[in-house]
């Protein structure tokens, strides 16, 4: 097996793992945690000098940055009877790129603040006001997505693509943000459909079992 995906599924490695599952790829999952020093070893830093997961090793081609990993896999493994997650033309490519970059530049920071202070941290360490602020700050970008989804089922090409993986994997962090979802019903419905896909559910199971390890 020549494709390796580094990073526990309970991390941004969920993004390339989701694509790999959608495409039915064979890969080796090196489920490194991001805490505890595993990403600071000389071997790991030789793969990603940033010391972060995820990383892909495709037979010696190294990719880091989770969105780059997802986009790379979609393009690299298109064809051969697999579902087409990559662009079929330049118009789709424009949509895939702009929405994927939009998710990390316009939404990820606030979505992470909501995840930490609304869901993940032990209740005594959470600051509910930061979770509330994150929801308020996400309203403007999510209204842009809401408008886009009012007239189409998916972000690009009228079908599920890697753009949906990139954006839904960020917005999965605000899945339980009630106020935000209520204000953007098309986003909520699209997100529910994306996250219900068997490939994403498989990654959630992997993430759940890594937390129990
Ligand atoms: N922009 C990077 C962020 C990667 C990142 O922050 N990964 C976290 C896990 S989700 C990590 O490795 N943290 C460990 C650290 O920063 O030391 C990406 O999207 O890949």
């Amino acid at each position: 097996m020549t494709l390796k995906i580094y990073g526990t599924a309970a991390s941004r490695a969920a993004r390339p793992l989701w694509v790999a599952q959608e495409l039915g790829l064979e890969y080796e999952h090196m489920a490194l945690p991001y805490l505890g020093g595993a990403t600071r070893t000389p071997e790991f830093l030789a793969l990603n000098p940033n010391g972060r997961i995820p990383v892909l090793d495709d037979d010696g081609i190294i990719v880091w940055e989770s969105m780059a990993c997802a986009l790379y896999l979609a393009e690299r493994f298109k064809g051969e009877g697999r579902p087409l997650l990559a662009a079929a033309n330049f118009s789709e490519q424009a949509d895939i790129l702009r929405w994927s970059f939009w998710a990390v530049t316009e939404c990820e920071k606030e979505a992470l603040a909501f995840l930490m202070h609304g869901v993940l941290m032990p209740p005594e360490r959470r600051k509910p006001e930061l979770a509330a602020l994150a929801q308020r700050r996400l309203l403007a970008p999510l209204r842009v997505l809401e408008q886009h989804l009012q007239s189409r089922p998916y972000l690009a090409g009228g079908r599920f693509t890697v753009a949906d993986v990139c954006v839904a994997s960020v917005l999965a962090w605000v899945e339980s943000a009630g106020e935000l979802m209520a204000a953007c019903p098309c986003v909520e419905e699209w997100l529910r459909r994306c996250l219900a896909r068997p490939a994403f559910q498989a990654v959630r199971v992997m993430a759940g079992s890594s937390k129990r390890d």
Side-chain angles (χ1 to χ4, degrees):
M1 194 181 300
T2 57
L3 177 64
K4 290 185 182 148
I5 303 179
Y6 290 80
T8 169
S11 76
R12 289 174 177 86
R15 297 166 186 173
L17 288 167
W18 185 356
V19 175
Q21 292 291 132
E22 291 281 352
L23 294 173
L25 302 181
E26 278 192 31
Y27 61 93
E28 197 174 342
H29 184 204
M30 324 295 282
L32 301 188
Y34 52 86
L35 298 175
T39 57
R40 293 294 183 277
T41 64
E43 295 76 23
F44 188 80
L45 290 171
L47 290 172
N48 183 0
N50 298 290
R52 301 236 162 109
I53 52 173
V55 176
L56 293 185
D57 180 349
D58 176 20
D59 202 16
I61 298 176
I62 305 299
V63 191
W64 36 257
E65 279 299 321
S66 56
M67 294 300 179
C69 294
L71 293 164
Y72 174 86
L73 287 179
E75 188 63 30
R76 162 74 173 87
F77 294 101
K78 68 183 178 192
E80 297 178 27
R82 299 187 185 100
L84 182 63
L85 295 190
N89 53 50
F90 286 121
S91 165
E92 290 184 12
Q93 182 69 332
D95 278 339
I96 287 172
L97 291 175
R98 72 190 169 110
W99 284 111
S100 302
F101 280 83
W102 174 87
V104 274
T105 56
E106 303 290 335
C107 301
E108 191 182 49
K109 181 168 170 259
E110 299 302 338
L112 186 58
F114 177 84
L115 182 71
M116 298 311 292
H117 289 281
V119 182
L120 279 191
M121 294 207 304
E124 66 279 7
R125 287 185 46 214
R126 289 183 201 167
K127 294 195 173 134
E129 66 278 15
L130 293 186
L133 180 64
Q135 284 202 70
R136 285 201 300 281
R137 286 185 171 158
L138 280 168
L139 199 52
L142 256 62
R143 281 197 170 128
V144 175
L145 179 59
E146 176 73 10
Q147 199 181 2
H148 187 70
L149 286 170
Q150 262 161 13
S151 54
R152 42 181 81 69
Y154 292 106
L155 296 184
R159 65 178 195 287
F160 183 85
T161 68
V162 65
D164 298 287
V165 171
C166 290
V167 179
S169 60
V170 171
L171 296 186
W173 295 348
V174 290
E175 192 187 2
S176 63
E179 252 172 66
L180 199 54
M181 292 298 135
C184 303
C186 296
V187 173
E188 183 178 36
E189 197 275 329
W190 159 86
L191 186 60
R192 190 190 48 71
R193 268 187 290 122
C194 290
L195 301 185
R197 293 176 71 85
F200 182 75
Q201 289 299 315
V203 176
R204 277 224 158 135
V205 169
M206 290 158 77
S209 54
S210 72
K211 276 180 201 149
R212 286 192 294 275
D213 288 343

